[in-house]
C-alpha cells in the first residue's frame, strides 16, 4: 500500500523552503515496530570513530580514493583517511552551511547559508562566489570546474581555480522547493541535472541543453502535491542513470541519448543505489524496494523497517545499507532484502547516505559523530 496522503503532504512541507500550515492537524506518524534481536550474518566491527559539531543541513559525504570529505553545520570541512579515521585536512569557514561537500580529489566545494560557493584546497580557501539564491545540493567539482544547482533551478558553471562565472542556465522557479540535495552529476562529457521532474543533459563547456526528458509529471491540486523534483542519489550503470522524482516515480534515462528507458510510480523522497542489475530505494513509509534495472519490474519488497526514517541506500558487496533516524545502520541482502547485520552509532540519527572508501563503511550522524566500520 502507498503512504497515506497526509504523510506525503506533511513530509514534503517539512522539506520545503516554505513553512506550510496544516500538517500538525494530521495524525502522528505511526510508531515503528520493535526490531528483533540482531543476528550478524555478515561480521562487521567498528574500526574507529571521530567527533565533530552537529550536522543540520543536507550533507553529502564525498569520497576520493582512500579519503572521505565531510562538513558540519558550523562550516568545518574535514578530510579524513577512511582506513584510520585520521584527519588529513581541515578548513573552518566560521559560518553555517546549506550544502556540501563536492570534491574531485583535489578541490572541495560547499555552499554557505549566505549563498556563497566556497572552494577549498585542503585547509586553504581558493575563492568565493556569491549566488543569487539558495542551494541545498553539494556543488559538483569535475573537469576543472565547479557546477552549482540552486533551489530556484538555476544551474551555474564556474572555473575551478578562480571561481569565474562561465555560464548559467535558468528555469522558471516553482512556489516550493525541497530542502534536500537535487540531482547533479557528470556522465562522460555531459552534465546531468534534475530540473523539476525532468532530467536534463547539459554541455559543461557552454551550458547549452543537449537533451531533456521527463521522469515524472506534476500531479495533485496544490503546490505540495505537485512537487516532482529529482532528488540526489542515483543508480548508474554506464550511461544509464536511474533517479527518483520526489514522491512520484523512479525512472531510468540513457544519458548518452536522452532516452527514457522506464518510469514506475513510487512514493519515496530519498535517492537510489544500484549494482547494475537491480535498483534499490526506500518509500516514505520505510518500505525498502528493489526494481530490475532493465525494465523497472519489482524484484523484492521488505517491510521490516516500516515507519523508520531512512537515508538513501548504499549498495556495497552483498548488502544494501541504510541509516535511520535513531542512528542505526541496517544491512540488508541485495538478493531478497533479508537482514544481514545491524550497526549502532550514537543514537542521534544518521545524517547522510553512508559511503565506502578504503574497505571501510563510513557513517556520519546528526550529532557530528563519524564512524568507520570494517568487515571482520
Amino acid at each position: 500500500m502507498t503512504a497515506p496522503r497526509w504523510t506525503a503532504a506533511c513530509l514534503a512541507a517539512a522539506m520545503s523552503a516554505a513553512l506550510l500550515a496544516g500538517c500538525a492537524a494530521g495524525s502522528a506518524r505511526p510508531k515503528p515496530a520493535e526490531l528483533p534481536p540482531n543476528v550478524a550474518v555478515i561480521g562487521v566491527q567498528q574500526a574507529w570513530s571521530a567527533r565533530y559539531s552537529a550536522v543540520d543541513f543536507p550533507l553529502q559525504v564525498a569520497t576520493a580514493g582512500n579519503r572521505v570529505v565531510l562538513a558540519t553545520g558550523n562550516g568545518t570541512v574535514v578530510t579524513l583517511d577512511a582506513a584510520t579515521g585520521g584527519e588529513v585536512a581541515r578548513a573552518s569557514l566560521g559560518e553555517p552551511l546549506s550544502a556540501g561537500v563536492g570534491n574531485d580529489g583535489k578541490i572541495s566545494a560547499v555552499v554557505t547559508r549566505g549563498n556563497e560557493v566556497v572552494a577549498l584546497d585542503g585547509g586553504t580557501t581558493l575563492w568565493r562566489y556569491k549566488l543569487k539564491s539558495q542551494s541545498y545540493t553539494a556543488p559538483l567539482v569535475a573537469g576543472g570546474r565547479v557546477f552549482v544547482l540552486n533551489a530556484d533551478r538555476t544551474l551555474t558553471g564556474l572555473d575551478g581555480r578562480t571561481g569565474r562565472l562561465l555560464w548559467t542556465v535558468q528555469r522558471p522557479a516553482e512556489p516550493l522547493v525541497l530542502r534536500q540535495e537535487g540531482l547533479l552529476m557528470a556522465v562522460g562529457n555531459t552534465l546531468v541535472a534534475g530540473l523539476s521532474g525532468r532530467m536534463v543533459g547539459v554541455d559543461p563547456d557552454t551550458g547549452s541543453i543537449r537533451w531533456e526528458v521527463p521522469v515524472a509529471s506534476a500531479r495533485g491540486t496544490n503546490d505540495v502535491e505537485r512537487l516532482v523534483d529529482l532528488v540526489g542519489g542515483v543508480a548508474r550503470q554506464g550511461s544509464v542513470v536511474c533517479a527518483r522524482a520526489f514522491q512520484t516515480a523512479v525512472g531510468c534515462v540513457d544519458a548518452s541519448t536522452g532516452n527514457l528507458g522506464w518510469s514506475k510510480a513510487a512514493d519515496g523522497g530519498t535517492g537510489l543505489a544500484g549494482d547494475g542489475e537491480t535498483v534499490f530505494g526506500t518509500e516514505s513509509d520505510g518500505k525498502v524496494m528493489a526494481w530490475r534495472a532493465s525494465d523497472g519490474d519489482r524484484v523484492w519488497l521488505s517491510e521490516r523497517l516500516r515507519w523508520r526514517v531512512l537515508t538513501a541506500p548504499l549498495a556495497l558487496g552483498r548488502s544494501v545499507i541504510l541509516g535511520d533516524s535513531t542512528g542505526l545502520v541496517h544491512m540488508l541482502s541485495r538478493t531478497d532484502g533479508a537482514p544481514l547485520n545491524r550497526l549502532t552509532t550514537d543514537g542521534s540519527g544518521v545524517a547522510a547516505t553512508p559511503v565506502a572508501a578504503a574497505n571501510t563503511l563510513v557513517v556520519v550522524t546528526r550529532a557530528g559523530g563519524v564512524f568507520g566500520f570494517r568487515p571482520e
Side-chain angles (χ1 to χ4, degrees), residues 103-358:
N103 182 274
D104 67 350
K106 178 65 174 176
I107 295 175
S108 298
V110 296
V111 183
T112 71
R113 291 188 190 172
N115 301 341
E116 281 192 314
V117 184
V118 183
L120 304 162
D121 184 349
T124 302
T125 298
L126 296 176
W127 51 261
R128 290 172 174 253
Y129 178 85
K130 181 72 172 182
L131 300 170
K132 295 182 179 179
S133 62
Q134 294 174 307
S135 175
Y136 305 111
T137 303
L140 173 66
V141 186
R145 287 156 290 189
V146 176
F147 304 101
V148 185
L149 178 64
N150 287 14
D152 67 354
R153 296 182 178 84
T154 298
L155 188 60
T156 304
L158 305 170
D159 182 273
R161 297 304 304 181
T162 67
R164 178 175 61 89
L165 177 65
L166 302 176
W167 50 261
T168 59
V169 175
Q170 177 75 58
R171 289 294 176 92
E174 299 289 342
L176 298 178
V177 294
L178 296 175
R179 286 186 181 272
Q180 68 182 76
E181 62 179 289
L183 171 59
L184 183 63
M185 64 184 300
V187 180
N189 192 37
T190 298
L191 179 66
V192 177
L195 300 179
S196 224
R198 307 178 77 85
M199 192 181 297
V200 180
V202 179
D203 185 324
D205 297 323
T206 65
S208 61
I209 303 296
R210 290 175 170 168
W211 52 260
E212 56 182 290
V213 58
V215 176
S217 299
R219 61 182 184 179
T221 58
N222 60 57
D223 292 335
V224 173
E225 292 177 335
R226 293 177 63 82
L227 276 169
V228 290
D229 279 328
L230 301 189
V231 301
V234 304
R236 178 186 171 188
Q237 180 68 22
S239 63
V240 176
V241 177
C242 300
R244 181 187 295 280
F246 181 75
Q247 291 188 338
T248 306
V250 169
C252 293
V253 174
D254 188 334
S256 65
T257 62
N259 292 326
L260 178 68
W262 55 266
S263 179
K264 301 286 185 178
D267 196 24
T270 58
L272 307 173
D275 60 8
E277 296 181 356
T278 310
V279 176
F280 308 102
T282 64
E283 299 294 88
S284 297
D285 61 1
K287 291 195 296 284
V288 184
M289 305 277 291
W291 299 269
R292 194 160 58 207
S294 59
D295 55 17
D297 285 351
R298 183 189 297 175
V299 178
W300 54 259
L301 178 153
S302 172
E303 299 196 36
R304 293 180 177 88
L305 304 179
R306 283 202 72 189
W307 305 117
R308 296 180 180 275
V309 181
L310 302 173
T311 67
L314 167 70
L316 180 65
R318 55 187 284 201
S319 303
V320 178
I321 302 172
L322 314 100
D324 73 18
S325 59
T326 70
L328 294 175
V329 180
H330 305 272
M331 301 178 66
L332 308 180
S333 168
R334 291 196 331 193
T335 57
D336 59 8
L340 299 179
N341 205 339
R342 187 165 66 237
L343 314 175
T344 59
T345 57
D346 57 18
S348 67
V350 178
T353 304
V355 300

